[in-house]
């Protein structure tokens, strides 16, 4: 089975892109959960579901970064995992209700397929196989907890989900990263595509919100402002981060590289995606009544969603360079402080304030970091020696 294990630098494959399409639907379903229940409990449910979905996606991102997804055995198993993940996505709106068992069974299948494929692909690499076996118990235990939650009643369900996430996300920190492999080019591209998918979901939410509200002047202005914020999500990520992240990962090796990939991508991309999804949900509520005041949870999504996205970059910079920076930290705090304001002014005004913060941030970065951005791009274009 040595052909399954591929040390390679390659572009993301069509099968991986197809796999990601399942998550387009899954993210949309999380937005539906938030929209149907815009309360603290609905917010908790939505974030727990998103955490589990990210767990599944990130696990397969590590897998296909190491194992060639175009090999027949992997190709077939990936399709099975995709079918199970699609079933889980279908169950998302009632994952804390009557469809909890369906979600749990589907998620367990996704985890079993992932571990099986990784173990098979690592048979020629004892270090990688040992790494897979170290996380297998916690991965399966977390999936079983999600399944058990499907049979539980009331307040026990979210507690079991939370316990599953703690087990699933904490174990990689405890067992270490020895034996794992990361191909920087593919890994960075893979995560960039999932960010694009999340941003695309926010555009879908804007479009659906506009369709439900009808096209009027206020709705059109709000839709354009929402598009501006979505564009800001994209610009903040792809203008500089992907280039620099690829360079940093390529400059490290061994455990230092895999630990950095785990922290920067597996962990810190989750709040990025969560921030985008929260903003998408808030846009649906904003477009429903641009002249009215937002309730507490939609206002949180509108302001704290972008703040969470930006705080992820602050944490990322702290992890890489041990510095906090200035612009994105200030912008994140500014967005968070707009939350109470967004509950007492018209939704359109609150959205305008969020967009103004983003415009100010981009103006600052374009001017202040002009030379650094130019140097980074020049290094990228320079021929290898």
């Amino acid at each position: 089975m040595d052909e399954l294990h591929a040390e390679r630098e390659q572009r993301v494959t069509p099968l991986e892109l197809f796999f990601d399409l399942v998550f387009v639907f899954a993210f949309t379903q999380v937005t539906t959960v938030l929209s149907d229940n815009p309360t603290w409990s609905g917010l908790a449910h939505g974030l727990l579901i998103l955490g589990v979905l990210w767990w599944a996606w990130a696990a397969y991102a590590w897998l296909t970064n190491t194992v060639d997804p175009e090999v027949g055995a992997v190709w077939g198993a990936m399709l099975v995992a995709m079918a199970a993940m699609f079933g889980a996505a279908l169950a998302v709106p009632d994952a804390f209700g009557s469809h909890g068992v369906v979600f749990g069974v589907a998620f367990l299948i996704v985890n079993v397929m992932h571990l099986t494929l990784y173990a098979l692909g690592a048979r020629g690499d004892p270090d990688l196989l040992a790494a897979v076996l170290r996380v297998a118990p916690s991965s399966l235990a977390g999936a079983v907890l999600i399944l058990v939650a499907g049979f539980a009643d009331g307040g026990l369900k979210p507690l079991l989900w939370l316990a599953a996430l703690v087990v699933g996300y904490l174990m990689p920190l405890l067992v270490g990263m020895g034996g794992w492999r990361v191909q920087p080019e593919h890994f960075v591209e893979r995560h960039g595509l999932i960010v694009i998918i999340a941003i695309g979901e926010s555009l879908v939410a804007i479009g659906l919100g506009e369709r439900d509200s009808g096209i009027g002047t206020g709705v059109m202005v709000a839709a354009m402002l929402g598009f501006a914020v979505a564009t800001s999500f994209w610009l903040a990520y792809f203008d500089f981060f992907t280039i620099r992240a690829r360079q940093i990962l390529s400059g490290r090796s061994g455990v230092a590289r895999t630990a950095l990939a785990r922290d920067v991508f597996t962990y810190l991309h989750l709040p990025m995606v969560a921030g985008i999804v929260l903003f998408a949900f808030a846009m649906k509520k904003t477009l429903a009544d641009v002249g009215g005041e937002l309730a507490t949870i939609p206002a949180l999504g509108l302001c704290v969603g972008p703040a969470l996205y930006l705080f992820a970059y602050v944490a990322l910079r702290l992890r890489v360079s041990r510095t906090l920076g200035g612009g994105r930290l200030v912008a994140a705090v500014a967005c968070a402080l707009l939350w109470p304001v967004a509950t007492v002014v018209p939704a359109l005004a609150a959205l305008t304030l969020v967009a103004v913060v983003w415009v100010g941030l981009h103006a600052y970065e374009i001017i202040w970091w002009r030379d650094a951005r130019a140097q980074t791009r020049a290094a990228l274009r320079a021929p290898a020696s």
Side-chain angles (χ1 to χ4, degrees):
M1 201 89 174
D2 290 341
E3 69 271 18
L4 287 182
H5 180 226
E7 292 290 340
R8 73 208 190 283
E9 285 287 3
Q10 70 166 39
R11 303 302 300 269
V12 172
T13 66
L15 180 62
E16 291 172 286
L17 294 174
F18 188 35
F19 183 82
D20 288 351
L21 289 179
V22 176
F23 287 86
V24 175
F25 177 55
F27 291 155
T28 302
Q29 292 284 72
V30 174
T31 304
T32 299
V33 169
L34 295 169
S35 298
D36 291 346
N37 185 17
T39 64
W40 286 108
S41 64
L43 176 65
H45 291 172
L47 292 178
L48 286 171
I49 293 168
L50 183 62
V52 169
L53 294 175
W54 181 258
W55 175 0
W57 183 89
Y60 277 86
W62 281 86
L63 171 69
T64 57
N65 187 251
T66 306
V67 176
D68 188 352
E70 296 296 318
V71 173
V74 180
W75 183 86
M78 283 280 289
L79 290 179
V80 173
M82 288 166 58
M85 196 65 243
F86 187 67
L90 287 171
V92 160
D94 207 16
F96 284 87
S98 59
H99 292 160
V101 175
V102 174
F103 186 95
V105 170
F107 185 66
L108 181 60
I109 293 172
V110 170
N111 273 269
V112 169
M113 294 302 298
H114 169 259
L115 291 171
T116 301
L117 280 171
Y118 232 140
L120 289 173
R123 286 196 304 178
D125 187 337
D127 291 337
L128 179 58
L129 181 59
V132 173
L133 294 177
R134 285 199 305 270
V135 301
S138 61
S139 180
L140 292 175
V144 169
L145 283 172
I146 297 293
L147 177 58
V148 172
F151 295 97
D153 295 322
L156 184 57
K157 286 180 180 288
L159 292 178
L160 289 170
W161 277 64
L162 181 60
L165 289 175
V166 169
V167 170
Y169 282 95
L170 184 61
M171 190 54 62
L173 291 174
L174 299 179
V175 301
M177 296 302 292
W180 295 103
R181 305 284 185 267
V182 171
Q183 306 299 327
E185 188 78 21
H186 178 269
F187 205 70
V188 172
E189 183 183 13
R190 192 85 171 86
H191 286 78
L193 288 171
I194 200 65
V195 171
I196 282 285
I197 284 173
I199 295 173
E201 199 281 324
S202 70
L203 294 178
V204 170
I206 293 171
L208 292 177
E210 179 275 328
R211 184 189 65 183
D212 294 339
S213 304
I215 298 180
T217 302
V219 170
M220 182 60 74
V221 171
M224 291 299 101
L225 288 170
F227 177 78
V229 174
T231 302
S232 295
F233 287 139
W234 173 84
L235 187 61
Y237 191 90
F238 290 98
D239 180 52
F240 185 83
F241 169 76
T242 52
I243 301 172
R244 191 72 186 112
R246 189 180 299 113
Q247 292 172 340
I248 293 173
L249 275 183
S250 297
R252 303 192 184 191
S253 60
V255 173
R257 175 187 287 182
T258 54
L260 184 65
R262 176 200 62 196
D263 297 344
V264 169
F265 290 94
T266 302
Y267 289 145
L268 291 179
H269 272 55
L270 175 56
M272 289 184 192
V273 172
I276 296 169
V277 170
L278 285 173
F279 178 76
F281 144 70
M283 280 303 303
K284 292 181 70 174
K285 294 298 183 181
T286 298
L287 290 167
D289 184 10
V290 294
E293 297 172 0
L294 291 170
T296 300
I297 301 304
L300 179 149
L302 187 72
C303 302
V304 178
L308 186 61
Y309 182 83
L310 288 168
F311 275 127
Y313 288 100
V314 176
L316 188 153
R317 177 167 179 162
L318 187 62
R319 168 65 176 85
V320 173
S321 65
R322 300 294 188 268
T323 61
L324 285 174
R328 297 196 178 188
L329 176 60
V330 171
V333 172
C335 284
L337 292 176
L338 288 175
W339 177 18
V341 177
T343 63
V344 296
V345 301
L348 180 58
L351 176 57
T352 301
L353 292 173
V354 172
V356 167
V357 171
W358 274 108
V359 171
L361 172 63
H362 293 315
Y364 163 78
E365 291 189 339
I366 288 172
I367 295 172
W368 189 259
W369 295 105
R370 180 179 61 252
D371 292 339
R373 290 163 67 247
Q375 291 172 7
T376 299
R377 282 169 171 75
L380 182 67
R381 291 191 297 267
S385 56

